[in-house]
Amino acid sequence: MNSVLPPSTGRRQVSWGTPLTYALALAIAAVSIAPVIYVVIGGFRTTPQIVADPAGLPDPFVWDNYARVLTQSNFWQQAFNSAVIALGTTLAVVVLGMAAAFVLARYSFRGREGLYTFFTLGLLFPAGAAILPLYLMLRDLNLVNSYYAVILPQVAFSLPLTIVILRPFLSAIPRELEDAASIDGASRLGFLWRIAMPLSRPALVTVGVLAFVASWNSFLLPLLVLSDVNLHTLPLGVQNFSSQYTTDTAGVLAFTSLAMLPALLFFTLAEKQIVGGLQGAVKG
């Protein structure tokens, strides 16, 4: 019995498991990770070692740079300021983003899609373009030199992405589940708290981590609205330290390593949740 072969399309199927693909992925990972490794390792060297061999390894390891940074009171004050601002921003983004996304996903009203489009257009708005009018508005509200001057704008700029990620998760929850909860006596808020939020955990972790990391690494906004040195965050602390110790390259690298470590660890620990959250948003 002769078998019938499917006609050839003339195109060669691409296999994403080829060695070339892996080599490209490793090259991209190396380009992304190499600067971080260089900064961390550079903190364990002395400035003369870095000048003599910029790409060398510590020989021997020097711990004085990190110890000197950790014993400075300014570092811990700046770390506290960064933590307060980042945690405040993250909490507000998650709460407000969840509330707005829940309404846009589960309620039907006139103009719903137009309102959602308005939020998505916020992704196209460059934050740098609003710095000057934003500063003038914060000054008129007497919020300059306060945590609110950083937290409130960061929440506003983070909400569009938060809603775009959360809405598909909330829309994917079956309507029958909400009806069953209503029959059991759960209100809309009860359904949100007891059912919708646990089911949307990957998305909530995703938006929370993204908001935390973006707030922790923010530089331009705190630079403009926090002229009080006691309110400076760690990114501003890196600038101040590098300006004060211009010749101490190893110390600057150590300070930079410690400044970026919390955000890096936070992002690494939640990596799997972030991937799941973004996949769910794309599927939705």
Side-chain angles (χ1 to χ4, degrees):
M1 183 177 179
N2 296 331
S3 59
V4 179
L5 297 177
S8 176
T9 59
R11 296 181 181 179
R12 183 180 178 181
Q13 294 184 350
V14 179
S15 175
W16 295 105
T18 60
L20 179 61
T21 303
Y22 286 108
L24 181 61
L26 290 175
I28 296 175
V31 171
S32 303
I33 298 175
V36 178
I37 296 177
Y38 178 81
V39 171
V40 174
I41 293 179
F44 290 104
R45 307 175 70 193
T46 62
T47 299
Q49 289 178 354
I50 296 175
V51 174
D53 186 10
L57 295 175
D59 186 24
F61 275 81
V62 179
W63 299 89
D64 293 344
N65 298 319
Y66 287 100
R68 180 157 47 90
V69 173
L70 292 174
T71 54
Q72 289 186 352
S73 59
N74 289 339
F75 174 83
W76 294 108
Q77 180 63 45
Q78 292 159 3
F80 175 79
N81 295 334
S82 292
V84 170
I85 292 175
L87 292 175
T89 300
T90 303
L91 179 62
V93 166
V94 171
V95 172
L96 296 178
M98 186 68 179
F102 182 76
V103 172
L104 292 173
R106 312 296 299 187
Y107 285 73
S108 297
F109 56 90
R110 179 179 297 180
R112 183 181 68 169
E113 295 305 321
L115 183 59
Y116 178 69
T117 303
F118 177 77
F119 276 112
T120 57
L121 290 177
L123 297 172
L124 306 177
F125 186 78
I131 287 297
L132 180 57
L134 182 61
Y135 173 81
L136 296 176
M137 182 178 66
L138 293 173
R139 185 193 62 184
D140 295 339
L141 294 174
N142 294 322
L143 293 177
V144 175
N145 279 327
S146 68
Y147 292 144
Y148 296 108
V150 183
I151 293 176
L152 294 178
Q154 287 183 159
V155 171
F157 286 118
S158 299
L159 278 178
L161 179 61
T162 301
I163 294 174
V164 168
I165 293 176
L166 289 178
R167 191 193 186 198
F169 273 88
L170 297 171
S171 298
I173 298 176
R175 185 67 61 177
E176 292 79 8
L177 193 60
E178 184 175 359
D179 294 337
S182 178
I183 294 174
D184 290 338
S187 62
R188 283 288 183 92
L189 289 179
F191 173 76
L192 170 64
W193 178 256
R194 298 179 182 178
I195 298 177
M197 290 185 66
L199 292 178
S200 304
R201 180 184 174 184
L204 291 174
V205 174
T206 299
V207 298
V209 171
L210 293 178
F212 181 89
V213 172
S215 176
W216 188 275
N217 295 329
S218 178
F219 176 77
L220 181 58
L221 181 61
L223 177 64
L224 293 177
V225 300
L226 298 178
S227 58
D228 187 354
V229 178
N230 294 325
L231 294 175
H232 279 189
T233 58
L234 278 176
L236 297 182
V238 172
Q239 182 199 38
N240 297 336
F241 188 88
S242 59
S243 300
Q244 185 176 359
Y245 302 96
T246 54
T247 59
D248 188 6
T249 305
V252 173
L253 293 178
F255 197 108
T256 305
S257 301
L258 293 173
M260 68 181 180
L261 185 61
L264 185 62
L265 290 177
F266 195 45
F267 186 87
T268 303
L269 293 175
E271 179 184 1
K272 293 183 179 180
Q273 294 288 340
I274 293 175
V275 173
L278 293 179
Q279 287 178 344
V282 172
K283 291 179 182 179

Short mmCIF file of all heavy atoms in Angstrom, two decimals, residues 60-83:
data_model
loop_
_atom_site.label_atom_id
_atom_site.label_comp_id
_atom_site.label_asym_id
_atom_site.label_seq_id
_atom_site.Cartn_x
_atom_site.Cartn_y
_atom_site.Cartn_z
N PRO A 60 44.44 39.85 46.89
CA PRO A 60 43.42 39.01 47.55
C PRO A 60 42.09 39.75 47.64
O PRO A 60 41.98 40.89 47.24
CB PRO A 60 44.03 38.82 48.94
CG PRO A 60 44.73 40.11 49.19
CD PRO A 60 45.30 40.54 47.85
N PHE A 61 41.08 39.05 48.20
CA PHE A 61 39.78 39.68 48.42
C PHE A 61 39.90 40.73 49.53
O PHE A 61 40.50 40.48 50.57
CB PHE A 61 38.73 38.64 48.82
CG PHE A 61 38.09 37.96 47.65
CD1 PHE A 61 38.74 36.92 47.00
CD2 PHE A 61 36.85 38.37 47.18
CE1 PHE A 61 38.14 36.29 45.93
CE2 PHE A 61 36.25 37.74 46.10
CZ PHE A 61 36.90 36.70 45.47
N VAL A 62 39.32 41.89 49.26
CA VAL A 62 39.35 42.99 50.23
C VAL A 62 37.92 43.25 50.71
O VAL A 62 37.04 43.54 49.89
CB VAL A 62 39.95 44.26 49.59
CG1 VAL A 62 39.94 45.41 50.59
CG2 VAL A 62 41.37 44.00 49.09
N TRP A 63 37.73 43.17 52.02
CA TRP A 63 36.39 43.35 52.59
C TRP A 63 36.18 44.76 53.14
O TRP A 63 35.08 45.10 53.58
CB TRP A 63 36.16 42.33 53.71
CG TRP A 63 36.24 40.91 53.24
CD1 TRP A 63 37.35 40.14 53.16
CD2 TRP A 63 35.16 40.10 52.74
NE1 TRP A 63 37.05 38.88 52.67
CE2 TRP A 63 35.71 38.84 52.40
CE3 TRP A 63 33.79 40.33 52.56
CZ2 TRP A 63 34.94 37.81 51.91
CZ3 TRP A 63 33.01 39.29 52.06
CH2 TRP A 63 33.59 38.05 51.73
N ASP A 64 37.23 45.55 53.16
CA ASP A 64 37.14 46.86 53.79
C ASP A 64 36.15 47.79 53.09
O ASP A 64 35.51 48.62 53.73
CB ASP A 64 38.53 47.52 53.81
CG ASP A 64 39.49 46.79 54.73
OD1 ASP A 64 39.01 45.99 55.55
OD2 ASP A 64 40.72 47.01 54.62
N ASN A 65 36.03 47.67 51.76
CA ASN A 65 35.13 48.56 51.03
C ASN A 65 33.68 48.38 51.47
O ASN A 65 32.97 49.35 51.77
CB ASN A 65 35.26 48.32 49.53
CG ASN A 65 36.64 48.61 49.01
OD1 ASN A 65 37.26 49.59 49.41
ND2 ASN A 65 37.15 47.78 48.12
N TYR A 66 33.23 47.13 51.52
CA TYR A 66 31.86 46.86 51.95
C TYR A 66 31.67 47.20 53.42
O TYR A 66 30.61 47.73 53.81
CB TYR A 66 31.51 45.40 51.69
CG TYR A 66 31.30 45.08 50.23
CD1 TYR A 66 32.29 44.47 49.47
CD2 TYR A 66 30.09 45.38 49.61
CE1 TYR A 66 32.10 44.18 48.13
CE2 TYR A 66 29.88 45.09 48.27
CZ TYR A 66 30.89 44.48 47.54
OH TYR A 66 30.70 44.20 46.21
N ALA A 67 32.66 46.90 54.25
CA ALA A 67 32.56 47.21 55.67
C ALA A 67 32.47 48.72 55.88
O ALA A 67 31.70 49.20 56.74
CB ALA A 67 33.76 46.63 56.42
N ARG A 68 33.23 49.48 55.11
CA ARG A 68 33.21 50.94 55.26
C ARG A 68 31.86 51.51 54.87
O ARG A 68 31.36 52.44 55.52
CB ARG A 68 34.33 51.53 54.40
CG ARG A 68 34.44 53.04 54.44
CD ARG A 68 35.85 53.46 54.05
NE ARG A 68 36.28 52.76 52.85
CZ ARG A 68 36.08 53.22 51.61
NH1 ARG A 68 35.45 54.37 51.44
NH2 ARG A 68 36.51 52.55 50.57
N VAL A 69 31.26 50.97 53.83
CA VAL A 69 29.94 51.46 53.41
C VAL A 69 28.88 51.09 54.44
O VAL A 69 28.02 51.92 54.80
CB VAL A 69 29.57 50.87 52.03
CG1 VAL A 69 28.13 51.22 51.67
CG2 VAL A 69 30.52 51.37 50.96
N LEU A 70 28.93 49.87 54.96
CA LEU A 70 27.92 49.41 55.90
C LEU A 70 28.01 50.11 57.25
O LEU A 70 27.03 50.12 58.01
CB LEU A 70 28.04 47.90 56.11
CG LEU A 70 27.66 47.03 54.90
CD1 LEU A 70 27.97 45.57 55.17
CD2 LEU A 70 26.19 47.21 54.54
N THR A 71 29.16 50.67 57.57
CA THR A 71 29.30 51.38 58.85
C THR A 71 28.96 52.85 58.74
O THR A 71 29.04 53.58 59.74
CB THR A 71 30.74 51.23 59.37
OG1 THR A 71 31.67 51.64 58.36
CG2 THR A 71 31.02 49.78 59.75
N GLN A 72 28.58 53.30 57.56
CA GLN A 72 28.19 54.70 57.40
C GLN A 72 26.71 54.87 57.73
O GLN A 72 25.86 54.12 57.25
CB GLN A 72 28.44 55.18 55.96
CG GLN A 72 29.91 55.34 55.61
CD GLN A 72 30.08 55.97 54.23
OE1 GLN A 72 29.12 56.14 53.49
NE2 GLN A 72 31.31 56.30 53.89
N SER A 73 26.41 55.86 58.54
CA SER A 73 25.01 56.10 58.91
C SER A 73 24.18 56.57 57.72
O SER A 73 22.98 56.29 57.64
CB SER A 73 24.95 57.15 60.03
OG SER A 73 25.55 58.37 59.61
N ASN A 74 24.81 57.29 56.80
CA ASN A 74 24.08 57.76 55.62
C ASN A 74 23.53 56.61 54.80
O ASN A 74 22.43 56.70 54.25
CB ASN A 74 24.99 58.63 54.75
CG ASN A 74 25.30 59.96 55.40
OD1 ASN A 74 24.57 60.41 56.27
ND2 ASN A 74 26.38 60.59 54.97
N PHE A 75 24.29 55.52 54.70
CA PHE A 75 23.83 54.38 53.90
C PHE A 75 22.54 53.81 54.48
O PHE A 75 21.59 53.55 53.73
CB PHE A 75 24.91 53.31 53.86
CG PHE A 75 24.47 52.03 53.19
CD1 PHE A 75 24.51 51.92 51.80
CD2 PHE A 75 24.01 50.95 53.93
CE1 PHE A 75 24.09 50.76 51.17
CE2 PHE A 75 23.59 49.79 53.31
CZ PHE A 75 23.64 49.69 51.93
N TRP A 76 22.48 53.62 55.78
CA TRP A 76 21.29 53.02 56.39
C TRP A 76 20.11 53.98 56.35
O TRP A 76 18.96 53.55 56.21
CB TRP A 76 21.60 52.59 57.82
CG TRP A 76 22.60 51.48 57.86
CD1 TRP A 76 23.90 51.55 58.26
CD2 TRP A 76 22.38 50.13 57.44
NE1 TRP A 76 24.51 50.33 58.13
CE2 TRP A 76 23.60 49.43 57.63
CE3 TRP A 76 21.29 49.43 56.95
CZ2 TRP A 76 23.74 48.08 57.34
CZ3 TRP A 76 21.43 48.08 56.64
CH2 TRP A 76 22.64 47.42 56.84
N GLN A 77 20.36 55.26 56.47
CA GLN A 77 19.28 56.24 56.33
C GLN A 77 18.71 56.24 54.93
O GLN A 77 17.49 56.27 54.72
CB GLN A 77 19.79 57.63 56.69
CG GLN A 77 18.74 58.74 56.59
CD GLN A 77 17.59 58.54 57.56
OE1 GLN A 77 17.82 58.24 58.73
NE2 GLN A 77 16.36 58.70 57.08
N GLN A 78 19.59 56.17 53.94
CA GLN A 78 19.15 56.13 52.55
C GLN A 78 18.45 54.81 52.24
O GLN A 78 17.47 54.79 51.48
CB GLN A 78 20.35 56.34 51.63
CG GLN A 78 20.93 57.74 51.71
CD GLN A 78 22.35 57.82 51.21
OE1 GLN A 78 22.92 56.83 50.74
NE2 GLN A 78 22.96 59.00 51.32
N ALA A 79 18.92 53.72 52.82
CA ALA A 79 18.25 52.44 52.63
C ALA A 79 16.85 52.46 53.24
O ALA A 79 15.89 51.92 52.66
CB ALA A 79 19.08 51.31 53.24
N PHE A 80 16.72 53.10 54.40
CA PHE A 80 15.40 53.22 55.03
C PHE A 80 14.47 54.05 54.16
O PHE A 80 13.29 53.68 53.97
CB PHE A 80 15.56 53.85 56.42
CG PHE A 80 14.25 54.13 57.10
CD1 PHE A 80 13.54 53.11 57.72
CD2 PHE A 80 13.71 55.42 57.12
CE1 PHE A 80 12.33 53.38 58.35
CE2 PHE A 80 12.51 55.69 57.74
CZ PHE A 80 11.81 54.65 58.36
N ASN A 81 14.96 55.15 53.64
CA ASN A 81 14.13 56.00 52.77
C ASN A 81 13.70 55.24 51.52
O ASN A 81 12.53 55.32 51.11
CB ASN A 81 14.91 57.25 52.37
CG ASN A 81 15.20 58.15 53.55
OD1 ASN A 81 14.48 58.15 54.55
ND2 ASN A 81 16.27 58.93 53.45
N SER A 82 14.62 54.51 50.92
CA SER A 82 14.28 53.72 49.73
C SER A 82 13.24 52.66 50.05
O SER A 82 12.31 52.42 49.27
CB SER A 82 15.54 53.06 49.16
OG SER A 82 16.43 54.01 48.63
N ALA A 83 13.38 52.02 51.21
CA ALA A 83 12.44 50.97 51.59
C ALA A 83 11.05 51.55 51.82
O ALA A 83 10.04 50.98 51.37
CB ALA A 83 12.93 50.25 52.84
#
